[in-house]
Amino acid sequence: MSDTVDTGKNCQKCPAFCTAEASIGKFKKSTGAPMCGRFGHVLGKPGLTNTQQAKIQTHFANNCEAYGQPMPDFPVRQQMEVALGDTAALTRAEEGIDAAKQNAVTTCAMCKNFVRDDAVASELGWTTGMCAAKGKLILTNRQVHEARGCRYREFGQVRNTTAGIHLLPVYEEAFNLTSNPIVSYFKSKEHFVEPHEYPTDKPVTDEDRASGIRAWFRVPDPSGSDNETFLPTYDPDFFTPEERGKIPRTNDDEHPELYVDHFGGTYLAAVAWTELDETPALWGEAGTGKTELLRHLAWRMCLPFERINITAQTEVDDLVGKMLFDKEKGTYFSYGRLPLAWEKPCVLCVDEPNVGPPEVWQAIRPLTDNSKQMVIDQNAGERKARNADCYLGFAMNPAWDPKNIGALPVSDADVNRLFHVHIELPPPELEREIIRNRVLLDGWEMDDDRLDMVMKIAEEIRNLIKEGLLSQVSWAIRPQIKVSRALRWFEPVTAYRRAIADFLEPTVADALLDVVRAHAPQ
Ligand SMILES: Nc1ncnc2c1ncn2[C@@H]1O[C@H](COP(=O)(O)OP(=O)(O)OP(=O)(O)O)[C@@H](O)[C@H]1O
Ligand SMILES: [Mg+2]
């Protein structure tokens, strides 16, 4: 970017500016974004806010040698450069590609460096394919032209994701790179910083420091609005050794660093906690990552993770506390885990409160009230105020799904008080990444063929479930991980038997194993 930016200059004031519609006339096809009719620069993208779009246009206007000059009759250059290119693709190209593999490519659509149009459209918003080696958007009508003599062309399957492509800074900045979960996941992976080393995104006040806050991290709205909020990261030294032991760490058994926030869960929780003062209730079928989201947030915030599992056997006395007698102390109140966590800085995950007996719900209900007071009836109605840094969240399987045996309907009064988040499955590209990362921990790299197989089988199993042909089970991330890990040791049919089929009624198991056989390598 130039040092002196004249904010008065903007491509929209230049005769060469084409709106998305007008660019069709100029380029025969459209990227769906406004374009520079002279140089072919992409000047925005669908869904960008006016501020973001204006930033891109001010940038190009200030760096343009022909700003304000009359519109040429035809585009001078169709560069459409939006990316710096994928370094892996460039390195391969420099090493030299087999001539036969190069000559076979007569159009970008046959090249392994080409990113499919639908992936670019869904991940970046431009309705066109992209060359990962050259970093250019390539309109369909230009694919043959671009491939002719291209030194990077190499025969192979086109890419189904833009992952790993670095956008030019002007686009990166404008997009904030948060609007697409796939893109933002790969970016954060690339710029990984340990939470306890994260430099702050806004000033830390003396008051913050006094309450243990070491830094703040920005949490932008993943849906691309300009909204953002902040979550604190605590200083692990602020805690006692026992509390510190409960702070999730990178490489712990649960690997909180590998959690992929594909639905903007961090933003939702951050808004609920810090802006609205509400309690997030995470809903979803088994194994969709409800509990792990809260652990991941504790990891990012460097806070102890207090998880309280509620079961049908949970008694209020265990949860809240009870009167005890000791010869020396006499009668005294021994606090349960809930009030102890309530008074400390922590992420407090109350797991499956809707399977507990009604008294347990009643004990929990006031915690979600505006007053955020815990009333301990067992100790003469003692009131405990919540610690300002105790972040409460619930994780639950919904009672409307008959698979969730034991889950009870939640009363209107409770539904009213909660901030509801239903967790769906991640986009396939991220589901693959979750699986790939998990089996890597076993020291095994899962090849694309096997991943394709697991994803195709999952699609069919999920259809069987939707159609009611497989009614007792769900097929979210946990079973996908389970079966993938087993695939290292067993043939597909055996792996799916161990993961699920041997539990099922024989005819249902057969239907499922037929699906597996249809996709397993022969
Ligand atoms: N988004 C994700 N990123 C990485 N791993 C995930 C993700 N979602 C789920 N998993 C993995 O799937 C498994 C199940 O996740 P988790 O225990 O959080 O599910 P849950 O929704 O709480 O399920 P349940 O309803 O059975 O309690 C974990 O091993 C977790 O690591
Ligand atoms: Mg759970």
Side-chain angles (χ1 to χ4, degrees), residues 80-121:
M80 295 196 193
E81 274 173 48
V82 291
L84 302 178
D86 175 310
T87 40
L90 288 172
T91 323
R92 264 204 319 275
E94 275 154 17
E95 280 166 3
I97 304 162
D98 186 64
K101 280 193 162 179
Q102 280 219 312
N103 294 335
V105 178
T106 53
T107 160
C108 297
M110 297 166 76
C111 175
K112 64 191 295 182
N113 289 321
F114 188 67
V115 188
R116 251 173 30 197
D117 307 36
D118 60 333
V120 180

Side-chain angles (χ1 to χ4, degrees), residues 57 334 391:
Q57 293 166 7
S334 163
Y391 298 90

Side-chain angles (χ1 to χ4, degrees), residues 157-224:
Q157 202 170 7
V158 300
R159 301 176 178 215
N160 56 11
T161 172
T162 63
I165 289 178
H166 303 242
L167 288 191
L168 288 168
V170 60
Y171 297 109
E172 196 137 335
E173 202 184 294
F175 286 23
N176 221 355
L177 281 172
T178 53
S179 44
N180 181 278
I182 304 175
V183 179
S184 81
Y185 165 76
F186 283 102
K187 285 289 155 192
S188 64
K189 183 175 169 185
E190 196 181 318
H191 302 294
F192 178 81
V193 181
E194 280 291 349
H196 61 271
E197 290 168 0
Y198 190 84
T200 195
D201 288 335
K202 73 170 190 182
V204 180
T205 63
D206 289 344
E207 200 185 323
D208 292 340
R209 267 188 216 96
S211 46
I213 295 172
R214 190 192 57 75
W216 292 93
F217 60 93
R218 175 177 283 111
V219 189
D221 177 2
S223 71

Side-chain angles (χ1 to χ4, degrees), residues 286-292 307 309 349 351-352 395-397 478:
T288 40
K290 300 180 291 294
T291 306
E292 291 308 311
R307 175 180 176 187
N309 268 322
C349 164
D351 223 337
E352 327 229 1
M396 291 176 279
N397 301 120
R478 188 184 292 119

Side-chain angles (χ1 to χ4, degrees), residues 107-377:
T107 160
C108 297
M110 297 166 76
C111 175
K112 64 191 295 182
N113 289 321
F114 188 67
V115 188
R116 251 173 30 197
D117 307 36
D118 60 333
V120 180
S122 86
E123 294 173 25
L124 299 174
W126 293 306
T127 50
T128 168
M130 184 187 220
C131 170
K134 291 198 268 192
K136 289 171 73 171
L137 290 183
I138 296 174
L139 294 170
T140 335
N141 57 336
R142 304 278 302 167
Q143 290 180 2
V144 174
H145 174 85
E146 290 286 342
R148 198 173 297 143
C150 171
R151 58 188 279 248
Y152 301 117
R153 71 195 195 281
E154 184 174 359
F155 184 73
Q157 202 170 7
V158 300
R159 301 176 178 215
N160 56 11
T161 172
T162 63
I165 289 178
H166 303 242
L167 288 191
L168 288 168
V170 60
Y171 297 109
E172 196 137 335
E173 202 184 294
F175 286 23
N176 221 355
L177 281 172
T178 53
S179 44
N180 181 278
I182 304 175
V183 179
S184 81
Y185 165 76
F186 283 102
K187 285 289 155 192
S188 64
K189 183 175 169 185
E190 196 181 318
H191 302 294
F192 178 81
V193 181
E194 280 291 349
H196 61 271
E197 290 168 0
Y198 190 84
T200 195
D201 288 335
K202 73 170 190 182
V204 180
T205 63
D206 289 344
E207 200 185 323
D208 292 340
R209 267 188 216 96
S211 46
I213 295 172
R214 190 192 57 75
W216 292 93
F217 60 93
R218 175 177 283 111
V219 189
D221 177 2
S223 71
S225 76
D226 281 338
N227 291 336
E228 61 179 23
T229 182
F230 293 84
L231 277 177
T233 296
Y234 292 77
D235 181 355
D237 291 337
F238 179 74
F239 299 96
T240 64
E242 191 202 339
E243 287 166 348
R244 211 176 305 140
K246 294 183 185 172
I247 303 178
R249 288 296 182 113
T250 302
N251 285 329
D252 277 356
D253 286 351
E254 297 87 0
H255 290 274
E257 76 283 6
L258 292 184
Y259 189 83
V260 178
D261 182 4
H262 56 91
F263 61 99
T266 308
Y267 180 72
L268 294 169
V271 170
W273 283 336
T274 61
E275 308 292 344
L276 305 175
D277 199 14
E278 289 185 14
T279 305
L282 309 173
W283 297 96
E285 56 186 15
T288 40
K290 300 180 291 294
T291 306
E292 291 308 311
L293 170 67
L294 292 169
R295 189 194 309 279
H296 171 77
L297 291 170
W299 169 76
R300 280 196 76 181
M301 297 165 81
C302 292
L303 275 175
F305 181 58
E306 296 283 354
R307 175 180 176 187
I308 299 184
N309 268 322
I310 308 289
T311 67
Q313 280 73 43
T314 303
E315 289 183 16
V316 180
D317 284 1
D318 300 334
L319 198 65
V320 174
K322 54 190 157 205
M323 281 293 179
L324 291 180
F325 179 78
D326 181 281
K327 261 194 226 147
E328 279 165 25
K329 287 198 219 167
T331 311
Y332 67 99
F333 192 75
S334 163
Y335 292 103
R337 286 188 62 200
L338 197 56
L340 291 177
W342 185 245
E343 285 195 311
K344 281 189 312 198
C346 66
V347 170
L348 174 52
C349 164
V350 179
D351 223 337
E352 327 229 1
N354 58 336
V355 301
E359 313 83 80
V360 166
W361 254 125
Q362 277 151 24
I364 293 170
R365 178 177 294 166
L367 309 189
T368 61
D369 255 346
N370 293 340
S371 59
K372 303 279 158 46
Q373 291 273 340
M374 182 163 187
V375 182
I376 306 181
D377 291 334

Side-chain angles (χ1 to χ4, degrees), residues 26-96:
K26 201 78 187 159
F27 296 92
K28 311 278 190 301
K29 290 263 189 298
S30 173
T31 58
M35 303 280 297
C36 164
R38 180 185 294 272
F39 294 113
H41 297 303
V42 186
L43 298 173
K45 79 161 187 170
L48 224 53
T49 62
N50 288 340
T51 333
Q52 287 167 320
Q53 201 135 286
K55 257 190 176 169
I56 297 182
Q57 293 166 7
T58 311
H59 166 80
F60 280 105
N62 275 279
N63 289 277
C64 185
E65 60 201 59
Y67 178 73
Q69 290 179 19
M71 172 86 146
D73 291 340
F74 52 88
V76 180
R77 282 175 241 153
Q78 293 193 346
Q79 46 193 27
M80 295 196 193
E81 274 173 48
V82 291
L84 302 178
D86 175 310
T87 40
L90 288 172
T91 323
R92 264 204 319 275
E94 275 154 17
E95 280 166 3

Side-chain angles (χ1 to χ4, degrees), residues 493-506 509 512-513:
V493 169
T494 314
Y496 280 88
R497 272 187 186 283
R498 301 296 155 258
I500 176 83
D502 279 4
F503 155 79
L504 297 169
E505 189 267 311
L512 188 137
L513 291 176

